[in-house]
Amino acid sequence: VQLQASGGGLVQAGGSLRLSCAASGLNVRWFSVAWFRQSPGKERDFVADISGSGGRTFYADSVKGRFTISRDNAKNTVSLQMSTLEPEDTAVYYCAARYAPWGASYSDTDDYPYRGQGTQVTVSS
């Protein structure tokens, strides 16, 4: 199983970025896939997830209304559209997955056995 996050970069405050998590060795349709982020000296925080099967979405309060998580079953990818970015959004963003065809959502990084390498997002003020 591999999860490859991409799409990070440097953007000014108020701008947008779209992150992508490409999965191999698993079918995202049946997995809960989440995005987490980690800033230097801080713990890894939950950002958003999309449940397996029905694709329900759940967001951290800090990104609600600004970020949108979505899934493309044909491409086997999960994306995170980030808008109205703030300097506080600066972090390394990681995607993670766990088998969950029953449609549950999870917000703890320990709930996800499959984790990809991160992609850096830097928002300048």
Side-chain angles (χ1 to χ4, degrees):
V1 173
Q2 279 195 325
L3 299 172
Q4 182 64 51
S6 62
L10 173 63
V11 64
Q12 289 188 330
S16 300
L17 279 175
R18 185 177 181 86
L19 306 184
S20 181
C21 177
S24 59
L26 62 85
N27 188 332
V28 295
R29 180 195 300 264
W30 309 120
F31 280 70
S32 173
V33 179
W35 287 94
F36 293 85
R37 65 187 182 185
Q38 188 168 20
S39 303
K42 295 185 178 181
E43 293 186 352
R44 191 168 295 191
D45 291 331
F46 170 81
V47 175
D49 91 305
I50 184 165
S51 68
S53 187
R56 290 183 306 148
T57 58
F58 183 66
Y59 299 91
D61 288 342
S62 59
V63 306
K64 202 172 294 183
R66 301 187 298 122
F67 291 11
T68 302
I69 189 170
S70 61
R71 184 176 69 209
D72 187 328
N73 293 333
K75 295 182 179 179
N76 212 32
T77 60
V78 172
S79 297
L80 184 69
Q81 178 67 46
M82 306 186 296
S83 302
T84 320
L85 283 162
E86 304 168 352
E88 293 73 23
D89 296 316
T90 295
V92 178
Y93 284 70
Y94 303 85
C95 57
R98 69 164 284 162
Y99 182 66
W102 45 86
S105 293
Y106 304 88
S107 60
D108 191 323
T109 185
D110 290 338
D111 290 326
Y112 291 87
Y114 304 113
R115 305 171 191 177
Q117 293 186 336
T119 184
Q120 175 72 46
V121 172
T122 303
V123 184
S124 63
S125 57

